[in-house]
């Protein structure tokens, strides 16, 4: 949560403008989702990270802890209280929401500082959260995952909506596979060759988040990096969910890789998908969390 092995978060409210996108220029649902995350920030500063997370996570939200999947609220309730000198600062800087306004995602930088650790030198990470509208109209987090990074992660000032000029609107003969099939096909292909598997599946502005690595942004840079990586040993879809409008969804599952000496490592992945007008699902964001 909020970092590959960080589950303690204090959030700093962003007072920046929306980088040329005024709140009125964003879809109302996206602006609401962003403001909900900022309200989450304020709440965390008042009552502490643990209770705030329990309040802002959906009852069925899942978390990944020590190689196991469980209800995030239960995991949070069992987590130790944060050290009193711990400060973490995080804010949404990039993301999008479905046309139906019921499902979206946000990502941004995290800074972890403890005065009693490393002389107060900060540690950095990058989070990704999937938000879902609840029956009462509010937004809650249903999936939260992050990576540790070697330095601060840069974003454009304010908030940027993920570009998608060719957005699916449902006005075509639906003969393409559902999201689960797209995720499963990618998993089958990355067991052979990662770059070849991802090439037809990336949006031009896609983000690839890998542990202890700076986020890789843009399809060309992602493919260059993937060409240096070995194939996965296993990759299996565990769950997929799409918005009512069918233009945005997410998936999660398990994976394993083999190192140079045959050692196997593994963990969980979370992917955010967007659907183009021709019905094809494309990757907007892909995160690995090793266990």
């Amino acid at each position: 949560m909020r970092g590959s092995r960080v589950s303690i978060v204090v959030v700093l409210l962003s007072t920046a403008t929306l980088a040329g996108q005024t709140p009125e220029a964003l879809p109302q649902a996206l602006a609401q989702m962003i403001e909900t995350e900022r309200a989450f920030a304020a709440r965390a500063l008042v009552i502490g990270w643990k209770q705030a997370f329990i309040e802002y996570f959906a009852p069925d939200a899942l978390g990944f802890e020590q190689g196991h999947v469980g209800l995030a609220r239960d995991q949070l309730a069992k987590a130790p209280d944060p050290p009193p000198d711990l400060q973490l600062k995080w804010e949404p800087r990039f993301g999008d929401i479905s046309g139906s306004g019921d499902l979206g995602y946000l990502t941004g930088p995290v800074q972890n500082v403890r005065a009693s650790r490393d002389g107060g030198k900060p540690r950095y990470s990058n989070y990704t959260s999937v938000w879902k509208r609840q029956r009462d109209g509010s937004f809650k987090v249903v999936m939260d995952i992050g990576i540790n990074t070697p330095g601060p992660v840069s974003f454009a000032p304010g908030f940027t909506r993920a570009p998608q000029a060719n957005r699916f609107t449902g006005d075509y003969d639906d003969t393409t596979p559902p999201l689960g099939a797209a995720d499963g096909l990618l998993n089958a292909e990355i067991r052979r060759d990662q770059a070849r598997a991802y090439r037809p599946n990336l949006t031009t502005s896609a983000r690839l988040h890998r542990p202890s690595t700076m986020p890789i942004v843009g399809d060309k840079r992602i493919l260059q990096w993937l060409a240096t990586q070995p194939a996965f040993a296993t990759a299996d879809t565990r769950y997929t969910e799409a918005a009512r409008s069918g233009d945005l969804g997410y998936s999660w599952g398990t994976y394993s890789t083999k190192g140079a000496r045959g050692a196997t490592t593994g963990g969980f992945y979370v992917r955010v998908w967007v659907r183009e007008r021709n019905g094809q699902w494309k990757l907007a964001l892909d995160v690995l969390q090793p266990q």
Side-chain angles (χ1 to χ4, degrees):
M1 300 174 188
R2 306 289 154 173
S4 62
R5 297 190 183 277
V6 175
S7 58
I8 303 172
V9 178
V10 177
V11 184
L12 181 67
L13 270 173
S14 170
T15 57
T17 60
L18 295 179
Q21 297 177 325
T22 65
E24 293 76 20
L26 294 173
Q28 182 179 5
L30 179 55
Q32 179 187 353
M33 192 172 70
I34 295 167
E35 291 308 314
T36 300
E37 184 137 48
R38 291 174 177 164
F40 177 11
R43 188 65 171 157
L45 292 173
V46 173
I47 65 172
W49 71 267
K50 183 186 292 188
Q51 289 304 316
F53 268 49
I54 290 173
E55 286 187 11
Y56 279 82
F57 274 43
D60 57 349
L62 296 180
F64 309 128
E65 284 288 333
Q66 299 179 348
H68 300 286
V69 181
L71 292 175
R73 284 183 172 183
D74 291 346
Q75 294 175 349
L76 289 163
K78 296 175 183 177
D81 292 335
D85 63 340
L86 173 67
Q87 291 185 333
L88 287 124
K89 303 174 183 180
W90 133 68
E91 60 178 320
R93 302 294 291 277
F94 186 87
D96 201 4
I97 199 163
S98 63
S100 50
D102 59 329
L103 193 67
Y105 72 100
L106 297 169
T107 186
V110 182
Q111 187 179 115
N112 175 333
V113 180
R114 285 186 65 185
S116 61
R117 183 191 64 202
D118 301 331
K121 183 179 180 180
R123 297 178 181 178
Y124 301 97
S125 58
N126 196 117
Y127 83 92
T128 298
S129 58
V130 179
W131 292 76
K132 186 176 179 180
R133 190 182 293 278
Q134 306 298 293
R135 290 184 177 181
D136 64 359
S138 67
F139 278 100
K140 298 286 187 182
V141 175
V142 294
M143 184 66 64
D144 187 272
I145 189 170
I147 57 166
N148 294 330
T149 60
V153 181
S154 63
F155 286 82
F159 182 85
T160 301
R161 186 184 185 189
Q164 189 182 358
N166 195 26
R167 185 181 293 269
F168 172 76
T169 58
D171 55 353
Y172 83 110
D173 181 17
D174 189 355
T175 59
T176 57
L179 178 55
D183 196 70
L185 180 60
L186 175 58
N187 284 338
E189 292 298 321
I190 61 177
R191 298 188 188 109
R192 302 182 181 94
D193 183 299
Q194 286 204 61
R196 179 178 178 182
Y198 277 91
R199 183 172 290 109
N201 290 294
L202 296 171
T203 63
T204 57
S205 60
R207 299 181 63 91
L208 194 74
H209 293 185
R210 294 296 184 259
S212 302
T213 302
M214 299 299 286
I216 306 164
V217 182
D219 57 344
K220 293 181 175 59
R221 291 186 60 207
I222 289 172
L223 292 174
Q224 289 173 352
W225 187 83
L226 288 174
T228 68
Q229 304 301 304
F232 279 37
T234 63
D236 297 292
T237 306
R238 296 284 299 275
Y239 182 78
T240 64
E241 182 175 7
R244 292 194 307 271
S245 49
D247 61 334
L248 187 147
Y250 73 99
S251 61
W252 72 266
T254 57
Y255 76 93
S256 65
T257 60
K258 287 186 177 180
R261 298 183 179 180
T264 300
T265 60
F268 301 93
Y269 70 80
V270 174
R271 297 171 182 147
V272 176
W273 298 79
V274 293
R275 204 176 195 183
E276 296 187 337
R277 184 172 295 276
N278 64 4
Q280 297 299 316
W281 287 101
K282 299 283 187 177
L283 275 171
L285 197 149
D286 186 296
V287 191
L288 294 187
Q289 180 171 306
Q291 297 294 326

